């Protein structure tokens, strides 16, 4: 798709998803690990939709494999992983030599679990998409049901090793199929009520009310923890349904903004920079460990949001410089 054809609402959603991920990591790693704070735990469930929505967007628009795209993505990941690994090791004395070497092998070493699984999906996508296109609507629905059983029944409920937490290619294929299915329904039945904005807002409202209800669950038998875990994992039916509804709200809005479209192409840099295995200690773990000694409650949350917004803007701004340099190198290489 060209930039003029992009729906800026979806592009804005891409940026928001990265903001969600950063706030989620600060909450789950520093502020309230292991769901130690009920309010933060409920908020974190909503933020945890980010990865699923991102794959839904990928499935909706489809992945078209090309060697050039694969190399550009790989070198973007390698650039940030190697650069930040060197900065952490040589400037801040963080990490071991083995961890430094792993920074130069970001995909193979699973330095970023999402990137590793996304590359697997990227290489499989052309074959998956071709198979989808040949299926009838009935066969498509049957495949969805089969994958739902594998992901949610065996994986989520019975903790099967194939997809125990949803951070794997099996779940990504299922989510990709759901996103592709939304596009398929939109093409064949554009007024289908289940994917309408009103219906999606109702689903979001109901599920958010469920999260509010979780907050008031009694402590006995760890009911609150069980409820949060049920709604938190990437292969949870609760989280998948919430993610689909959130995606549909943004999908059904439409506006055009060159600035948002332009910035959205650098949104992945937010993830690659803040969640580097070594630099995350400098970027947000140590700062917020110190901040929690003097701040708490709602003011702490506002500081988190403000910090993440500034960090995200700086990451995207810096990535524009990287894009400019990479384009120059790519053009010379093409010649």
């Amino acid at each position: 798709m060209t930039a003029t054809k992009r729906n800026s609402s979806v592009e804005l959603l891409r940026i928001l998803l990265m903001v969600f991920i950063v706030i989620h990591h600060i909450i789950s790693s520093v502020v309230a690990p292991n769901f130690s704070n009920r309010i933060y735990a409920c908020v974190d469930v909503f933020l945890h939709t980010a990865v699923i929505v991102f794959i839904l967007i990928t499935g909706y628009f489809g992945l078209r494999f090309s060697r050039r795209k694969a190399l550009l993505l790989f070198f973007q990941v390698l650039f940030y992983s190697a650069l930040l690994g060197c900065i952490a090791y040589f400037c801040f004395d963080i990490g071991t030599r083995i961890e430094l070497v792993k920074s130069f092998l970001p995909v193979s070493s699973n330095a970023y679990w999402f990137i590793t699984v996304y590359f697997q999906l990227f290489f499989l996508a052309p074959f998956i998409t071709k198979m989808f296109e040949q299926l009838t609507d009935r066969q498509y629905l049957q495949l969805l049901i089969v994958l739902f059983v594998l992901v949610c029944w065996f994986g989520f409920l019975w903790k099967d090793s194939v997809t125990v937490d949803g951070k794997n290619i099996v779940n990504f294929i299922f989510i990709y199929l759901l996103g592709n299915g939304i596009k398929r329904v939109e093409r064949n039945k554009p007024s289908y009520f289940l994917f309408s904005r009103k219906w999606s807002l109702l689903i979001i409202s109901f599920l958010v009310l469920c999260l509010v209800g979780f907050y008031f669950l009694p402590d006995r038998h760890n009911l609150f923890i069980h409820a949060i875990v049920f709604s938190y994992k990437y292969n949870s039916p609760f989280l998948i349904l919430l993610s689909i509804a959130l995606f549909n709200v943004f999908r059904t809005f439409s506006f055009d903004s060159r600035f948002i479209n332009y910035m959205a192409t650098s949104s992945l840099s937010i993830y690659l920079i803040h969640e580097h295995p070594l630099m995350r200690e400098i970027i947000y773990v140590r700062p917020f460990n110190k901040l929690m000694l003097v701040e708490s409650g709602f003011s702490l949350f506002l500081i988190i949001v403000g910090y993440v917004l500034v960090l995200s803007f700086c990451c995207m701004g810096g990535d524009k410089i990287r894009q400019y340099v990479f384009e120059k190198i790519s053009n010379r290489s093409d010649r």
Side-chain angles (χ1 to χ4, degrees), residues 24-41:
H24 152 66
H25 284 150
I26 293 175
I27 290 175
S28 62
S29 301
V30 185
V31 177
N34 301 318
F35 313 124
S36 56
N37 182 292
R38 290 197 173 206
I39 295 179
Y40 277 117

Side-chain angles (χ1 to χ4, degrees), residues 145-319:
I145 294 172
V146 169
L147 286 174
F148 176 82
V149 171
L150 291 177
V151 168
C152 297
W153 177 258
F154 288 108
F156 176 70
L157 290 178
W158 295 101
K159 297 179 175 56
D160 182 80
S161 59
V162 175
T163 176
V164 63
D165 58 0
K167 296 181 177 180
N168 48 64
I169 189 60
V170 177
N171 193 39
F172 271 42
I173 291 175
F174 173 56
I175 303 302
Y176 184 88
L177 178 66
L178 285 172
N180 188 266
I182 292 173
K183 183 69 173 181
R184 189 172 182 140
V185 171
E186 181 186 63
R187 185 171 57 246
N188 298 331
K189 300 177 181 178
S191 60
Y192 191 55
F193 77 99
L194 283 179
F195 293 144
S196 68
R197 188 187 312 161
K198 290 182 179 180
W199 187 251
S200 296
L201 287 171
L202 282 174
I203 292 174
I204 292 174
S205 300
F206 173 74
L207 295 180
V208 169
L209 284 175
C210 289
L211 290 174
V212 174
F214 294 165
Y215 175 83
F216 293 102
L217 286 174
D219 291 329
R220 63 176 181 274
H221 307 305
N222 291 321
L223 290 178
F224 172 75
I225 297 297
H226 287 309
I228 290 296
V229 170
F230 168 79
S231 56
Y232 186 80
K233 290 187 177 181
Y234 287 125
N235 53 356
S236 162
F238 183 100
L239 197 67
I240 292 173
L241 182 59
L242 180 58
S243 302
I244 292 173
L246 181 62
F247 169 60
N248 278 320
V249 169
F250 280 83
R251 178 184 62 84
T252 52
F253 279 106
S254 182
F255 69 93
D256 179 55
S257 170
R258 290 184 179 181
F259 177 74
I260 290 177
N261 294 348
Y262 174 70
M263 296 304 292
T265 60
S266 292
S267 58
L268 184 61
S269 66
I270 302 171
Y271 171 72
L272 296 175
I273 292 173
H274 94 278
E275 193 55 13
H276 187 277
L278 302 181
M279 281 300 294
R280 63 195 297 270
E281 186 77 14
I282 300 298
I283 293 173
Y284 67 88
V285 174
R286 291 181 184 177
F288 279 95
N289 272 326
K290 293 180 180 179
L291 184 63
M292 287 173 60
L293 299 176
V294 295
E295 292 288 348
S296 62
F298 188 64
S299 61
L300 176 61
F301 182 74
L302 289 179
I303 293 173
I304 293 173
V305 173
Y307 178 83
V308 170
L309 290 176
V310 173
L311 175 65
S312 300
F313 185 79
C314 291
C315 290
M316 291 187 290
D319 191 64

Side-chain angles (χ1 to χ4, degrees), residues 1-8 61 256 261:
M1 295 181 69
T2 62
T4 55
K5 291 183 179 180
R6 288 179 181 170
N7 180 358
S8 296
F61 289 107
D256 179 55
N261 294 348

Side-chain angles (χ1 to χ4, degrees), residues 134-146 184:
Q134 295 176 350
L135 295 176
T136 65
D137 290 344
R138 182 181 179 86
Q139 291 171 330
Y140 199 96
L141 180 59
Q142 290 173 341
L143 178 60
L144 261 179
I145 294 172
V146 169
R184 189 172 182 140

Side-chain angles (χ1 to χ4, degrees), residues 39 47 52 66 101 322:
I39 295 179
L47 300 174
I52 299 178
S66 72
V101 171
R322 180 204 63 82

